[in-house]
Amino acid sequence: MTYRVCFVCTGNICRSPMAESVFRAQIAEAGLDGLVEVSSAGTDGWHEGDGADPRTVAVLEANGYESGHTARQFQASWFSHLDLVIALDSGHLKALRRLAAAPAHAEKVRLLRSYDPAADADPDVPDPYYGQMDGFEECLEMVEAASPGLLAAVRQQVEGRAA
């Protein structure tokens, strides 16, 4: 049975596609790509159908990650088939939990930086959209720092299903 993870930011063109790409690479490297499905979406549909922000693409490609992406808006009905919904900031966390029709759905929502034991007190991955390239690089650093912890948590769930 496939374990499904969806990363969510506001417009699904910067942070969440970056997290999706990084985590998909981690899943493949860990040999879990046949067992874990990774996707992303936005809380809003402003950019639905668009590709990732060119700065996101540039940072991903410069660091050896795949960058193919089409933005979409998160739908409440997806909770029923997703195992984990990763919010990139506390605003997304609140929006997703409000969207959840059942407590079990709300429990699936977690903040990305909660998987980074070295994260500072600010739980959010800042939105780089209105800034310069260094904001996108900082976003990638935060995503990469949280990915090993997230991978360990997902691996535990996947192995628990196989047992």
Side-chain angles (χ1 to χ4, degrees):
M1 187 173 187
T2 304
Y3 189 88
R4 291 176 174 85
V5 179
C6 183
F7 294 92
V8 181
C9 68
T10 306
N12 193 217
I13 61 169
C14 297
R15 294 172 284 179
S16 59
M18 191 176 289
E20 175 187 2
S21 182
V22 169
F23 197 61
R24 184 174 287 124
Q26 294 239 333
I27 289 295
E29 188 175 306
L32 298 173
D33 49 348
L35 301 171
V36 179
E37 181 181 293
V38 182
S39 63
S40 67
T43 56
D44 298 308
W46 305 322
H47 299 286
E48 222 168 357
D50 294 344
D53 184 289
R55 297 165 294 179
T56 296
V57 172
V59 167
L60 286 171
E61 289 179 352
N63 287 276
Y65 296 106
E66 296 288 323
S67 62
H69 174 74
T70 303
R72 61 194 186 139
Q73 183 175 7
F74 189 89
Q75 303 297 313
S77 62
W78 298 356
F79 277 115
S80 62
H81 73 272
L82 291 169
D83 297 289
L84 190 58
V85 180
I86 303 295
L88 276 288
D89 72 28
S90 52
H92 307 131
L93 180 82
K94 290 174 190 167
L96 289 162
R97 287 190 173 159
R98 277 193 308 269
L99 195 58
H105 292 166
E107 291 171 10
K108 295 178 180 186
V109 184
R110 299 277 186 273
L111 277 168
L112 177 64
R113 293 198 71 208
S114 70
Y115 294 96
D116 179 0
D120 58 23
D122 185 356
D124 297 343
V125 175
D127 187 352
Y129 186 76
Y130 293 104
Q132 301 300 316
M133 198 66 172
D134 60 341
F136 287 82
E137 292 162 354
E138 178 186 22
C139 179
L140 179 62
E141 289 171 12
M142 290 180 171
V143 167
E144 287 178 329
S147 290
L150 177 57
L151 178 62
V154 168
R155 182 189 303 273
Q156 183 178 30
Q157 292 297 310
V158 169
E159 290 172 355
R161 287 181 173 186

